Amino acid sequence: MSVLVVMCLILAAQAVLLPFLLPALTYDERRPLAERYSFKANVWLAIFGFVGNYWYTHYFYSVLGAAYTMPAWRLNDVPVAMFFATHFYFCFYHVLSNAALRKIRTSYEPSKRRLAFEAASIVAMSYLTAFMETLTISGFPYYSFEDRDMAYTVGSAFYGIYFLVSFPMFLRLDETPPTVVNGATHDLFATAVEALASSMAVLCLLDFVRLALGIPFAMKVAAA
């Protein structure tokens, strides 16, 4: 097992295991495991991150000429370590976005102005998150682009599409007390469904952009 895989696995495991080992920190200790916010949040982000790596990465390969050049165990030509790395990155991003969006909703009365401000904030946070990740990993020698300047600008906007969808959708998770609709509640199944729906929305948006740019798409798997 490579050092990179071990490191990313350890970092991702902290987000997954701490709610199990120290449930009091999440105020969920009295709830069954499947009803804990921390557990559902991990499931939501794990699904979204898996789809992102498995499918969306190939849009970066096609549209931006991106490539992972290190020798690695791969799933669908994506290094396995990236699946783990995505989880702890996304946990961090979505905690911050939840805090920011809650601050907006609790500081202002519901209105069209608040809605516009919230939408503008989501757009700004999405681009900034994508840009800062692209910038901070620029020193990683095994992730390359055909045009790095394009990756910082257009690539950040392209990557930001992930968060345009995920930031407001992830906020929905247990944000208000569960309401009964036809006998159903916002349970683990609903969590998975919303994560998958968000993933499909991002996939459609990425492909719309690709079509607008007139760039062909092919999912190529490197030879073993």
Side-chain angles (χ1 to χ4, degrees):
M1 185 178 292
S2 72
V3 173
L4 182 61
V5 171
V6 172
M7 181 182 69
C8 291
L9 179 58
I10 291 173
L11 290 171
Q14 295 180 60
V16 175
L17 294 178
L18 279 178
F20 287 89
L21 301 177
L22 298 171
L25 293 178
T26 64
Y27 303 99
D28 275 345
E29 66 271 27
R30 295 183 180 179
R31 296 179 181 178
L33 179 62
E35 295 179 12
R36 293 178 184 175
Y37 175 84
S38 53
F39 183 76
K40 289 185 285 187
N42 270 295
V43 169
W44 201 106
L45 292 172
I47 292 172
F48 189 71
F50 176 85
V51 175
N53 279 288
Y54 191 91
W55 287 102
Y56 310 160
T57 303
H58 287 269
Y59 281 84
F60 282 82
Y61 293 167
S62 296
V63 175
L64 298 174
Y68 289 109
T69 59
M70 70 283 206
W73 296 339
R74 292 175 181 252
L75 176 60
N76 200 26
D77 201 24
V78 180
V80 171
M82 297 302 103
F83 288 84
F84 298 125
T86 296
H87 192 72
F88 63 79
Y89 268 95
F90 278 16
C91 284
F92 177 62
Y93 298 158
H94 288 80
V95 165
L96 295 182
S97 68
N98 270 12
L101 294 176
R102 286 191 188 115
K103 181 64 176 178
I104 292 172
R105 293 187 178 184
T106 56
S107 298
Y108 304 99
E109 293 295 329
S111 66
K112 292 181 179 179
R113 289 185 178 182
R114 191 188 79 172
L115 181 61
F117 179 51
E118 183 175 325
S121 298
I122 291 170
V123 172
M125 288 191 300
S126 298
Y127 186 83
L128 180 62
T129 300
F131 177 81
M132 290 304 297
E133 181 178 322
T134 304
L135 181 64
T136 54
I137 67 172
S138 61
F140 185 59
Y142 301 111
Y143 189 43
S144 62
F145 297 95
E146 290 180 355
D147 185 337
R148 190 161 289 275
D149 290 335
M150 181 182 177
Y152 288 142
T153 54
V154 177
S156 294
F158 196 64
Y159 183 25
I161 291 172
Y162 291 30
F163 307 118
L164 284 176
V165 175
S166 70
F167 283 167
M169 286 298 293
F170 183 74
L171 180 66
R172 287 172 45 84
L173 183 59
D174 285 359
E175 186 64 9
T176 56
T179 56
V180 176
V181 180
N182 297 327
T185 62
H186 197 130
D187 55 12
L188 190 60
F189 178 76
T191 300
V193 168
E194 290 198 4
L196 288 167
S198 300
S199 300
M200 190 62 199
V202 173
L203 183 61
C204 289
L205 290 173
L206 291 175
D207 210 53
F208 294 158
V209 172
R210 178 192 66 81
L211 289 172
L213 295 174
I215 298 173
F217 175 80
M219 184 173 284
K220 299 178 182 178
V221 179

